[in-house]
Amino acid sequence: MTAVSHPPDDLLMAYGAGSLDELTAVLVATHLSLCPHCCAEVALVEAMGGALLEDLAPAEMADNALAAILKRLDEPAPRRVPVAPARSDRLPGPLSDYLPGGLQALAWKRLGRGIEQVVLLRRDAAKLRLLRIGAGVAVPAHGHRGTELTLVLRGGFTDLGRHYGPGDVAGADVATVHSPAADDGEACLCLAVTDAPLRLTGMLGRLINPFLDL
Ligand SMILES: [Zn+2]
C-alpha cells in the first residue's frame, strides 16, 4: 500500500514543528504510519527545527551556520512515527491509541442510507470522526464552511474524478461541493477532520441538514 495523495506540505511542516492542532495531528500521524514518503519529509522538518534551535542558541550565528544546517539535513534523522504496515484487522497505530476497544466498541450513528459515523474528538466546532460508507454508496452532495481532510483507512472512494485508496488523503475547502462515492465491492472506512460544520446541498441535503450532527 503506497499513498499517492498526501497531506499538504504546510500541515506536514506544522506537524514536524509540533504546532498542529490535536485533531489534525491524529489524522496526519495516522497517515505517516502508512506513508514512508511523508515520514521522511516530517523527519527533515524536525531535523531542520532541531538544527536551527541548536545553532540559534548562542546569540550570534556563525558565518557557516547555514552550511552547517544544510549539512545536518543530509544526515539521517530519527523517525517520530514508526512505519509499520497496518494489519488488515487493525487500525493504524496512532488511531488505535484512541480506540482501545476497536471499531466494534464504537457507537456508530447512522447518517443516511449506507453511511455511518462516530465522532472521536471535538474541539469547539472542529471534529475528528470515523466514517463508514457502504460499498457503492455516494455521500449526498455537500459543501463546507471550513476545511475537511479525509484519510482512507480501508476500501476507497472516488471524488471529483480522482480515486483515493488506503493511506490517501483528500482535501476539501469552502470552494468544494462534492459527492464522494465508495468503491463497489467493499465498504470504505475513513478518518475525517473538519474545522466547521458541513453544508449539505441539494434537495436531500436541505431536508436532512437541520437534523444532522455534522
Ligand atoms: Zn504521505
Side-chain angles (χ1 to χ4, degrees):
M1 167 169 57
T2 306
V4 294
S5 299
H6 308 274
D9 278 344
D10 59 332
L11 288 190
L12 293 176
M13 290 193 70
Y15 181 87
S19 61
L20 204 54
D21 67 276
E22 182 189 5
L23 276 58
T24 311
V26 173
L27 187 142
V28 170
T30 306
H31 173 78
L32 291 176
S33 74
L34 302 169
C35 181
H37 170 80
C38 286
C39 252
E41 275 206 34
V42 169
L44 196 67
V45 173
E46 288 174 336
M48 193 157 38
L52 284 171
L53 282 177
E54 255 175 54
D55 286 354
L56 286 175
E60 304 159 26
M61 277 188 77
D63 289 343
N64 62 353
L66 181 60
I69 291 171
L70 291 175
K71 179 174 174 296
R72 208 162 295 154
L73 293 183
D74 290 334
E75 296 165 5
R79 285 200 187 103
R80 177 192 285 190
V81 178
V83 177
R87 275 171 42 196
S88 60
D89 59 331
R90 294 192 57 179
L91 293 167
L95 197 53
S96 63
D97 293 345
Y98 282 84
L99 306 171
L103 291 175
Q104 306 309 323
L106 297 173
W108 290 93
K109 184 174 161 188
R110 190 172 179 270
L111 270 189
R113 192 165 164 267
I115 307 170
E116 296 169 296
Q117 78 162 5
V118 55
V119 175
L120 302 177
L121 291 171
R122 309 168 181 253
R123 295 288 181 270
D124 301 319
K127 288 178 186 171
L128 178 74
R129 72 187 91 203
L130 280 170
L131 281 166
R132 200 153 55 179
I133 307 165
V137 171
V139 177
H142 62 276
H144 302 266
R145 296 189 176 96
T147 59
E148 175 189 64
L149 284 174
T150 305
L151 167 66
V152 179
L153 299 171
R154 291 180 196 159
F157 66 84
T158 298
D159 186 20
L160 301 172
R162 186 164 176 170
H163 184 261
Y164 298 87
D168 283 333
V169 174
D173 58 26
V174 290
T176 310
V177 173
H178 62 169
S179 172
D183 293 354
D184 290 327
E186 185 184 5
C188 181
L189 180 69
C190 296
L191 180 68
V193 60
T194 48
D195 61 5
L198 304 186
R199 181 171 57 82
L200 290 174
T201 59
M203 187 177 286
L204 178 63
R206 283 198 296 275
L207 283 172
I208 63 178
N209 202 15
F211 306 105
L212 289 184
D213 177 29
L214 294 173

